[in-house]
């Protein structure tokens, strides 16, 4: 079956530009997560959506970062006025139910490079 | 603060030898424990998890992990390594009382040489 799909796979942009990253979770998965993976670092949690509940935004590093999830499915992570330190791989994951023992299923990520 | 430690940045093993990738954790509640593997330019793939019960958990591709509550460890093991096991391995935890995200270690690069 289809897994988690992320687009674009690679994005190169100039400092100061806005970028949008897209995530299509596995059909029927109610929980959706965004993580950031920087070189030599582990995965840094950004934001978590569960069904129609208010998202957990506690991991967003600054107010330049925002995310939305439309219709309980597709999610978009937006970074405004990008900085060089935003360069990283952005990973999206989904799972059938949040806050449980279910593993998360990851997409292949978007590799973001800020020039 | 809740955290996961993978003390080795890299583990080198000869093909056919046993391998161990170490993980220790510090969380406030008895956690759920997970191991993931990441191949180059790919997302993370789930290997195995510990929920409750037997301390030895078996997972995909012949991997297993041993939960040790007193040492707060969850080391990943495989009796006989393959060159194709070479990848980046992540340990992750989620406190049982929490909702949402996993807490990840920084990852361990496993290199298996023929």
């Amino acid at each position: 079956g289809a897994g988690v799909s992320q687009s674009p796979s690679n994005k190169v942009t100039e400092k100061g530009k806005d970028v949008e990253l897209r995530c299509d979770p596995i059909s029927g998965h109610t929980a959706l997560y965004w993580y950031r993976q920087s070189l030599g670092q582990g995965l840094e949690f950004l934001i978590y959506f569960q069904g129609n509940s208010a998202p957990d935004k506690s991991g967003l590093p600054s107010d330049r970062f925002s995310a939305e999830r439309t219709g309980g499915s597709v999610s978009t992570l937006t970074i405004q006025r990008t900085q060089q330190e935003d360069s990283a791989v952005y990973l999206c994951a989904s799972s059938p139910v949040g806050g449980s023992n279910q593993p998360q299923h990851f997409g292949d990520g978007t590799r973001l490079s800020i020039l | 603060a809740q955290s996961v430690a993978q003390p080795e940045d890299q583990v080198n093993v000869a093909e056919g030898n046993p391998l161990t990738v170490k993980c220790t954790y510090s969380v406030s509640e008895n956690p759920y424990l997970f191991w993931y593997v990441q191949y180059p330019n790919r997302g993370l793939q789930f290997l195995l998890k510990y929920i409750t019960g037997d301390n030895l958990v078996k997972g995909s591709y012949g991997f297993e992990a041993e939960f040790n509550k007193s040492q707060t460890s969850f080391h990943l093991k495989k009796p006989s390594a393959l060159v194709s096991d070479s990848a980046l391995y992540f340990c992750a935890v989620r406190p049982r009382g929490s909702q949402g995200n996993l807490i990840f270690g920084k990852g361990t690069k496993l290199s298996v040489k023929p």
Side-chain angles (χ1 to χ4, degrees):
Chain A
V4 177
S5 177
Q6 291 188 247
S7 61
S9 55
N10 287 281
K11 177 72 175 179
V12 180
T13 192
E14 294 179 346
K15 176 182 172 181
K17 301 286 189 182
D18 298 351
V19 294
E20 283 190 354
L21 312 180
R22 177 188 168 102
C23 173
D24 239 308
I26 293 173
S27 178
H29 281 194
T30 58
L32 186 148
Y33 313 79
W34 284 98
Y35 294 90
R36 179 167 69 176
Q37 183 178 19
S38 302
L39 190 64
Q41 302 294 318
L43 272 72
E44 174 190 7
F45 165 70
L46 297 177
I47 189 168
Y48 158 57
F49 296 89
Q50 171 54 40
N52 295 321
S53 301
D56 176 359
K57 304 179 182 180
S58 60
L60 294 179
S62 77
D63 59 7
R64 295 187 295 106
F65 288 72
S66 63
E68 62 178 22
R69 188 178 185 191
T70 54
S73 180
V74 172
S75 178
T76 302
L77 177 69
T78 301
I79 309 174
Q80 295 179 311
R81 305 181 302 282
T82 51
Q83 303 295 314
Q84 287 189 331
E85 61 263 28
D86 300 334
S87 295
V89 176
Y90 289 82
L91 291 165
C92 176
S94 69
S95 68
V97 179
S100 73
N101 60 21
Q102 294 296 320
Q104 296 174 8
H105 301 263
F106 284 80
D108 286 340
T110 294
R111 186 174 300 274
L112 178 63
S113 299
I114 310 299
L115 302 179
Chain B
Q2 301 180 112
S3 63
V4 177
Q6 292 182 242
E8 302 150 318
D9 290 337
Q10 180 153 346
V11 171
N12 299 313
V13 177
E15 187 174 32
N17 282 2
L19 70 86
T20 298
V21 182
K22 296 179 180 177
C23 172
T24 59
Y25 61 90
S26 174
V27 297
S28 56
E29 300 288 338
N30 290 329
Y32 298 126
L33 300 159
F34 302 82
W35 274 101
Y36 285 84
V37 60
Q38 186 180 34
Y39 297 98
N41 299 314
R42 300 300 302 275
L44 277 68
Q45 296 179 30
F46 168 71
L47 278 179
L48 51 79
K49 66 181 179 182
Y50 174 79
I51 305 302
T52 189
D54 193 348
N55 289 343
L56 186 65
V57 178
K58 294 188 182 297
S60 305
Y61 313 120
F63 283 93
E64 56 191 27
E66 186 168 13
F67 170 63
N68 187 316
K69 185 175 181 178
S70 63
Q71 296 185 1
T72 61
S73 67
F74 189 54
H75 300 331
L76 181 69
K77 301 181 179 185
K78 187 173 183 180
S80 178
L82 300 173
V83 172
S84 59
D85 292 331
S86 299
L88 189 57
Y89 290 81
F90 289 95
C91 180
V93 304
R94 179 194 279 142
R96 288 174 189 258
S98 78
Q99 298 285 324
N101 63 291
L102 294 170
I103 302 166
F104 284 89
K106 291 189 175 183
T108 298
K109 182 178 180 181
L110 174 66
S111 178
V112 182
K113 295 291 171 58

